[in-house]
Amino acid sequence: MAATTVSFLTHGDKAGRYAALDEAVGSMVSNTFVQGRFRIEMPVIMASGSASTVTVWPEGSGDTFMVSDEGVSLFEVMTGAFSEPVFRRVARERCEHYGAVFDGSAMIYLRVSGGRLRGAIIAMANLMKEVVDETIARSVEQKTRQIDLQLWEKLEEAFGGARVERKAHLAGESSAVHEFTALVQAGDGLIAFDTFSAQGNSINSVYVKMSDVGRSDIPIMGIAVTRRLSDIGPKLNLVTSVAKVIEVDVKTKTLQELAFAA
């Protein structure tokens, strides 16, 4: 006979028996009342590590409700120094897809009936995370394209277009094939250039690539390129342990000197 599932939240004889579980579940969703609006903290974690906060307030007689992020998603994007124009494009796209309204800064579900309120609150929390995550991804991709173009221009100026292979693939000691922003032939060896940003995934990616090709039998110099060294923070040491690190606006002469030393 199948066991009966019992919820400690709805059965009096179970509630209170597991204090840690009671506390954990009770703290997953909390709400405050501020200036006539309920702010509900949901167990959906944003990119900054904070929980998403959904704001709800009654319309007119209170038969329907407004459910909004009240600009929290935009604040997340601006705090992380990501692209505001990209955020607005993504927010409009996602709101149109999920039946919400975007007013230029906030995302809103209008005229939500009491029976649909729970679903709308959950949907808004998920919408907030989806919009912020997509904005970050597109912003990083946009910045990567810009720095790649800048690097290619620098390399072709320093070595001539014929010696610069864009978006080149190279196998490391592990036999895994990695894509680099550019490869340049330097004497009997190669220089592998790869761009990276302060984002954790970007730093990890360039570290793995440079570490792997640095152990290969072919003489390869790895040069990691970023916009500003000061933006990277403590993890810069991780990258410098496997490659030389330069800023993308480095002088042409410096690039040539690095090639000569390869």
Side-chain angles (χ1 to χ4, degrees), residues 39-158:
R39 291 180 180 168
I40 304 165
E41 189 174 278
M42 298 289 289
V44 177
I45 306 303
M46 307 292 279
S48 66
S50 62
S52 59
T53 301
V54 178
T55 302
V56 180
W57 65 96
E59 295 179 288
S61 62
D63 294 331
T64 58
F65 300 82
M66 303 274 271
V67 178
S68 174
D69 77 330
E70 261 202 337
V72 170
S73 304
L74 176 58
F75 179 77
E76 283 271 333
V77 168
M78 299 301 291
T79 301
F82 296 105
S83 172
E84 184 177 350
V86 171
F87 167 80
R88 297 189 193 283
R89 286 198 297 273
V90 174
R92 287 192 184 92
E93 290 171 10
R94 294 296 190 270
C95 283
E96 183 177 347
H97 181 76
Y98 291 113
V101 172
F102 178 61
D103 68 1
S105 60
M107 300 183 292
I108 310 168
Y109 282 117
L110 302 170
R111 294 177 293 280
V112 178
S113 65
R116 295 174 52 236
L117 194 54
R118 178 176 179 274
I121 293 170
I122 295 171
M124 179 55 68
N126 289 327
L127 177 59
M128 291 168 65
K129 179 171 175 56
E130 185 172 327
V131 167
V132 171
D133 287 352
E134 180 64 17
T135 298
I136 291 172
R138 292 192 194 181
S139 297
V140 170
E141 184 181 353
Q142 187 179 77
K143 289 180 180 178
T144 300
R145 285 198 301 268
Q146 291 170 349
I147 194 173
D148 285 356
L149 289 170
Q150 197 173 345
L151 177 61
W152 290 332
E153 185 178 332
K154 285 275 186 181
L155 293 176
E156 288 169 3
E157 180 184 342

Side-chain angles (χ1 to χ4, degrees), residues 179-241:
E179 182 179 88
F180 290 86
T181 306
L183 287 180
V184 174
Q185 186 72 43
D188 295 330
L190 283 173
I191 306 178
F193 291 88
D194 207 45
T195 55
F196 74 104
S197 69
Q199 294 301 305
N201 287 342
S202 181
I203 292 172
N204 293 340
S205 174
V206 76
Y207 172 80
V208 169
K209 291 180 189 180
M210 293 300 185
S211 178
D212 197 19
V213 300
R215 296 192 303 268
S216 67
D217 296 333
I218 306 171
I220 298 171
M221 174 189 283
I223 299 181
V225 185
T226 192
R227 193 168 299 282
R228 283 183 301 273
L229 293 175
S230 59
D231 290 345
I232 306 304
K235 283 194 173 182
L236 180 60
N237 293 330
L238 187 67
V239 185
T240 56
S241 70

